[in-house]
Amino acid sequence: MLRNPRTLAALLTLSVALVFAGGLGGGFIWDDHALIEDDAYLHNPAELPWVITHGFWDTSQGPAKNPTYQSVWRPLVKVAYANQWQAFGAEPMGYHLVNLLAHLGCALLAFVFIRERIQNSDANADANAGGALLAAGLGALLFAVHPARVESVSWISGAPDLFMTFFVLAGAVLFRRRQRPGMLLGSIACFMLAVFCKEPAVLVPFVLAADLVLLDGPSKDRRIGRHPGDAGRLLAVTVAVVGAFSLRFLFVPFMHFGATGEGLGTLFPRVLASIGHFVVHTIAPVPPTAFPGLRRHDGAGHMLWAPEALILGGVLMVAVVALVVLSRRRPRLRPYLADVAWFVVPLLPVINLASLGGVSLISERFLYLPHVGLAALGARALRPHLGAAGPRRRLITLGALALGALSAFISIRHQEHFQSDEALFGYEAEIAPHNLVALGEVARLRELAHRDDHAYQAWCRAHAAAAEEADLDREWRFGLGAVRLRGRLLSYADQEEFRRIAQVYRDLDHDGATTFSAPGLRMDLDLPGELVTVMREDVDLFLLPYARALMYLGALEEADAVLYRALVAAPGYPRALRLSILRHARAGDFEAAFRWQRHLEGMTYDSPAWRPLRATLTRARDLSLRPAGSPEETAFRDSQVQATLGDLRAARLILDRALEDHPGMPQLIVARARVDVADGHLDLARRALEAARRAYPEHGAGWDMALAEIAE
């Protein structure tokens, strides 16, 4: 049964489907939001020419901040995303299905690719055909279910590696079928499409040359390849691939690598550690992670290198060099070296020869194509032992299947972490408490879910980790996240604490230095000039919370100046407009508030997210138009307007002033208690009403009703 290629292909298909079917229920996560879900350009078919002629990370949200990403051009992937959006819309299951089918195609092509390369290089190919077939099937299976596959298959944004590998393998299979007409043109087309999917495909000519020299051997006149025309075919592929790669420079900047402050002194350990981490996540991918090889620093800001990664990186480099030397004397080792080339060469762009500038040195998805070469190497080593039936073949087959079952189990479990942002970053923060990206995302997601207590704790934890890692950029960002949540957890009555928070922003705005302490938070910042400039222009983390803190204090003119800076830094930014709208309404200028509201709805296509704001403005305006026959009724009405607009501080001040003139007015006392309730001070409201009932017993029924309302 295991000697029939169709049977093995069917079993491989079934295995892939069973292992990765669980990922079909996942949502859009991480980069999926920017690249697909939130990219208005991608959603509009009329914008497809713009999409194709701009960088991969150029979206309707703006260009990538990392300079390395600004040089990425993957038009075929963008076209695929655009077509999927037209087919599936905002339903992620369709995208996951495409990824699964692409992975299945890669697994089947890997089976064919491995089988042909280990069989064609065997002098006794006919006698060992059964062993080659079984070895190729086992190699393809281990490639297909390896835990490193999860990031590429179960994460929609992992598609570039899938698409690139599919076309590279298809092209490689066609390239070796010299005897059939049209195969060369087909292989060239596939390799060019692979380049349009991801950049490492430009190195295909090197692995093809290695195959021609090491698998087939040189011809008698020492030309590349044993067959006539091999050198010309390789040259045609090289010209086509380099030409396809060069097209990017018409649309994106020349390759620019992220600045990480790493000098030439870190080059050797950085490359060695990168290689070592690839080895670690190949042979022992436990726990699996989306952040392998995290960049860590000591208190002085120096990089910390994992000793095991340095050792394994050195071992692999020595082993490859040794294999190169030995293969010159022992020709039978050359096919093994050809397989190693398929593992090593695709990794060259991602071993940080020039620092990529990411939060981690490597990614597991970078291993997708290289693992095909590793699977071929393993299959070649197993092939001689799988030719004839016997205990050895059964033992090796069972061992490989057991390893595949273990890999499949890890992969199935790891897919659970790609179901949502919360699942992924919660898991990553749990297995790596120093992972600053995961810690920051956990805090941000909890804040978006309005779990303010948990979000505050998460921001504090992230800030402490950033301070320990000497990461000043994230330290101020996470610290201000915690300060913002601290203000949100306060009541409007805590004016002294609001003054301390506002002072933090004033100090940072002045010279970038401040200190602040609160439960779970100790912030001591002294930022250099370049970070101060960045911070002052950050609308979400600095300017809007700064303006909001000033509004809480009643420093309205100062708040207006900060709001103006926010609108200049991000013209038309909805969150800045929303705060400006509330500022106009609280000042009683409902005409301006509604004018900006209509502008906001026009910008966001009348998004349902802004309809509650419109309803709030309408309710507050209607309240403000109610006639009031006395000063106390005016105070009551105005306090209701401010409370409706969310300004409990102003509502409290209005009522306190009115109660100074009319201390026994039941309507004002009850309204004041309701403000305390809205501000979270139920005990304070209850005590005030009980004191009023004792002082003014003639209104006993009214006090009882108000107390019952609070109790409810």
Side-chain angles (χ1 to χ4, degrees):
M1 182 180 73
L2 296 181
R3 290 174 177 267
N4 186 318
R6 293 183 178 179
T7 301
L8 286 173
L11 291 174
L12 182 60
T13 300
L14 180 62
S15 300
V16 169
L18 290 175
V19 171
F20 292 99
L24 294 176
F28 291 111
I29 63 169
W30 204 0
D31 293 337
D32 298 343
H33 303 299
L35 289 175
I36 303 172
E37 189 180 22
D38 299 333
D39 187 4
Y41 297 155
L42 197 76
H43 303 166
N44 185 356
E47 297 287 354
L48 190 58
W50 189 96
V51 169
I52 294 174
T53 56
H54 284 75
F56 184 69
W57 286 94
D58 286 343
T59 69
S60 59
Q61 309 298 312
K65 295 181 180 179
N66 187 327
T68 305
Y69 294 171
Q70 294 173 9
S71 304
V72 176
W73 186 62
R74 299 170 184 170
L76 191 58
V77 179
K78 297 288 274 191
V79 170
Y81 286 159
N83 288 328
Q84 289 176 74
W85 182 267
Q86 297 306 312
F88 311 123
E91 175 49 59
M93 179 175 287
Y95 302 82
H96 285 295
L97 180 60
V98 170
N99 274 24
L100 177 55
L101 292 176
H103 178 53
L104 176 58
C106 290
L108 294 174
L109 281 171
F111 173 50
V112 175
F113 173 79
I114 295 170
R115 177 193 175 191
E116 291 186 356
R117 70 188 287 108
I118 66 176
Q119 189 170 346
N120 293 342
S121 62
D122 188 359
N124 302 312
D126 294 335
N128 292 332
L133 183 65
L134 181 56
L138 293 174
L141 174 67
L142 292 176
F143 157 76
V145 301
H146 192 281
R149 301 293 83 80
V150 174
E151 184 174 322
S152 297
V153 181
S154 297
W155 182 29
I156 297 171
S157 294
D161 291 278
L162 299 173
F163 297 165
M164 178 193 72
T165 301
F166 179 87
F167 289 118
V168 166
L169 292 179
V173 170
L174 294 176
F175 184 79
R176 294 192 62 80
R177 298 185 176 181
R178 306 173 179 86
Q179 69 278 15
R180 300 182 185 180
M183 293 297 102
L184 177 60
L185 290 178
S187 67
I188 288 176
C190 286
F191 292 141
M192 292 178 69
L193 291 174
V195 171
F196 293 149
C197 291
K198 199 171 182 184
E199 295 72 22
V202 75
L203 299 177
V204 158
F206 293 97
V207 290
L208 293 182
D211 280 357
L212 290 176
V213 172
L214 299 171
L215 287 182
D216 300 339
S219 61
K220 292 182 180 180
D221 55 2
R222 305 190 68 82
R223 291 177 302 177
I224 291 179
R226 183 179 301 172
H227 302 276
D230 276 351
R233 295 166 66 248
L234 179 62
L235 178 61
V237 168
T238 303
V239 170
V241 166
V242 172
F245 184 81
S246 300
L247 286 176
R248 69 181 49 245
F249 301 121
L250 298 174
F251 310 118
V252 297
F254 190 78
M255 284 293 189
H256 180 89
F257 296 94
T260 61
E262 299 170 15
L264 290 177
T266 67
L267 174 62
F268 184 71
R270 184 177 68 233
V271 171
L272 209 61
S274 300
I275 296 171
H277 283 298
F278 281 124
V279 175
V280 169
H281 288 272
T282 294
I283 61 178
V286 180
T289 174
F291 296 92
L294 275 172
R295 294 176 184 268
R296 297 203 60 194
H297 301 81
D298 60 18
H302 301 122
M303 280 286 294
L304 298 174
W305 311 104
E308 67 276 10
L310 294 174
I311 293 171
L312 288 173
V315 168
L316 180 62
M317 292 180 66
V318 170
V320 171
V321 172
L323 184 59
V324 171
V325 173
L326 290 174
S327 65
R328 293 178 60 86
R329 301 178 181 178
R330 301 180 183 180
R332 65 184 181 86
L333 293 178
R334 292 174 185 173
Y336 293 91
L337 183 59
D339 297 333
V340 170
W342 276 88
F343 176 72
V344 172
V345 172
L347 285 179
L348 292 178
V350 290
I351 60 173
N352 287 283
L353 288 166
S355 180
L356 299 177
V359 68
S360 55
L361 288 172
I362 68 167
S363 292
E364 288 186 338
R365 63 185 181 277
F366 296 162
L367 286 166
Y368 196 91
L369 178 58
H371 272 182
V372 176
L374 201 61
L377 179 66
R380 190 180 301 280
L382 293 179
R383 182 202 56 194
H385 308 289
L386 298 174
R392 177 183 292 182
R393 191 180 80 173
R394 286 196 296 271
L395 183 62
I396 292 174
T397 302
L398 289 175
L401 291 175
L403 182 59
L406 178 61
S407 296
F409 174 76
I410 298 172
S411 295
I412 291 171
R413 292 294 304 273
H414 191 32
Q415 286 175 78
E416 299 173 2
H417 308 134
F418 283 84
Q419 296 296 300
S420 66
D421 288 313
E422 292 83 356
L424 176 63
F425 293 112
Y427 165 75
E428 295 292 344
E430 180 181 349
I431 64 172
H434 50 271
N435 186 335
L436 300 183
V437 171
L439 292 171
E441 284 297 303
V442 167
R444 185 184 68 84
L445 292 168
R446 289 179 179 177
E447 185 173 348
L448 288 176
H450 304 291
R451 299 165 57 195
D452 290 348
D453 284 330
H454 294 90
Y456 173 71
Q457 295 169 11
W459 282 122
C460 292
R461 178 186 173 193
H463 171 263
E468 183 179 348
E469 293 287 317
D471 189 330
L472 265 180
D473 186 48
R474 287 191 171 89
E475 185 180 353
W476 76 260
R477 294 177 186 276
F478 296 163
L480 289 189
V483 171
R484 181 179 66 243
L485 263 293
R486 173 66 178 165
R488 192 177 298 175
L489 291 170
L490 296 173
S491 75
Y492 278 78
D494 297 321
Q495 289 293 292
E496 182 57 38
E497 191 69 6
F498 277 124
R499 273 189 284 273
R500 293 182 61 232
I501 291 174
Q503 193 59 44
V504 167
Y505 293 108
R506 286 170 173 148
D507 291 343
L508 288 173
D509 200 20
H510 175 63
D511 60 4
T514 191
T515 59
F516 181 77
S517 60
L521 176 66
R522 172 63 185 173
M523 187 169 69
D524 189 357
L525 293 177
D526 189 2
L527 303 179
E530 61 272 16
L531 285 185
V532 174
T533 301
V534 171
M535 178 198 64
R536 285 172 177 162
E537 296 176 355
D538 194 301
V539 176
D540 281 321
L541 282 176
F542 184 72
L543 292 175
L544 293 186
Y546 186 7
R548 195 174 289 113
L550 294 172
M551 289 169 66
Y552 288 162
L553 290 176
L556 300 184
E557 291 186 1
E558 193 178 353
D560 287 341
V562 176
L563 265 177
Y564 176 77
R565 289 168 56 188
L567 290 169
V568 169
Y573 185 47
R575 290 182 181 175
L577 287 176
R578 184 183 188 279
L579 193 57
S580 182
I581 289 167
L582 288 174
R583 169 71 185 92
H584 283 297
R586 290 170 182 174
D589 190 354
F590 284 98
E591 181 180 351
F594 275 102
R595 184 171 62 252
W596 282 107
Q597 170 68 18
R598 288 190 294 272
H599 176 64
L600 176 60
E601 291 179 352
M603 289 175 49
T604 56
Y605 306 102
D606 195 20
S607 169
W610 305 115
R611 291 175 190 170
L613 177 59
R614 185 199 311 161
T616 297
L617 289 177
T618 302
R619 189 164 57 252
R621 181 194 58 189
D622 293 345
L623 281 172
S624 69
L625 296 176
R626 287 183 181 178
S630 63
E632 57 270 23
E633 289 179 358
T634 300
F636 177 74
R637 181 197 63 192
D638 292 347
S639 69
Q640 283 188 304
V641 170
Q642 296 299 329
T644 300
L645 293 170
D647 193 347
L648 300 182
R649 172 192 167 279
R652 181 180 286 108
L653 287 175
I654 292 170
L655 291 169
D656 285 346
R657 289 170 185 155
L659 283 169
E660 289 177 1
D661 298 328
H662 309 279
M665 180 67 67
Q667 185 183 35
L668 297 178
I669 294 174
V670 171
R672 180 66 169 77
R674 285 174 176 163
V675 170
D676 287 333
V677 170
D679 204 14
H681 290 287
L682 274 70
D683 290 340
L684 184 61
R686 186 180 299 109
R687 288 197 299 271
L689 289 173
E690 289 173 347
R693 181 170 57 180
R694 291 192 298 271
Y696 309 103
E698 64 274 16
H699 303 295
W703 307 133
D704 291 340
M705 186 180 300
L707 285 167
E709 179 184 335
I710 291 175
E712 183 181 351

